[in-house]
Amino acid sequence: MNEAQTLQQNKFPNWKPDEVRIVSLTYVMDAPELSSIEKIKCCKTLAASLDEAVKRARRKYGPGHLNAWGCHGLPLDRWLLGGGELMPGKHDKDHAEDLRRMGY
């Protein structure tokens, strides 16, 4: 198990492999040319695992590491605003109403 898989298993042992959730994360880029604040990226994505969300952040922002994370189950029954940039993913098309309730 990699770090993301271990973190997910410890915090949410009942998260099923096919269960899509909103994953909010703080990703810190390994970019020495950027200032400390520029390296920090707060973002959200719909993902079936924390590992999937971290891989998506790595593809978007480059090498780095997970600093903090949380998740929220779907479907949403109320508005969920804030939390940074949405990283588009393969689950978006199946959750249009949830994305609308997130303000995207």
Side-chain angles (χ1 to χ4, degrees):
M1 251 193 252
N2 66 29
E3 180 185 17
Q5 292 165 334
T6 302
L7 289 169
Q8 176 183 320
Q9 182 61 36
N10 289 341
K11 191 167 180 181
F12 295 101
N14 296 327
W15 188 347
K16 298 176 187 95
D18 59 344
E19 182 183 0
V20 176
R21 294 180 179 218
I22 302 165
V23 180
S24 301
L25 46 93
T26 304
Y27 185 77
V28 181
M29 298 166 51
D30 294 336
E33 70 280 1
L34 297 177
S35 70
S36 296
I37 197 75
E38 291 173 320
K39 292 179 186 183
I40 300 169
K41 301 297 178 187
C42 296
C43 49
K44 289 194 259 191
T45 191
L46 301 181
S49 70
L50 177 60
D51 192 43
E52 179 184 336
V54 171
K55 286 177 182 175
R56 191 165 294 139
R58 196 166 283 128
R59 277 194 306 273
K60 180 171 180 67
Y61 300 116
H65 63 276
L66 179 65
N67 180 267
W69 71 284
C71 70
H72 196 285
L74 295 174
L76 291 175
D77 58 359
R78 60 186 155 275
W79 292 96
L80 181 65
L81 302 174
E85 175 184 6
L86 177 71
M87 293 186 299
K90 64 183 179 182
H91 305 289
D92 295 358
K93 65 183 179 307
D94 300 324
H95 298 278
E97 180 61 20
D98 294 310
L99 290 170
R100 187 187 71 78
R101 287 182 183 227
M102 292 167 58
Y104 297 108

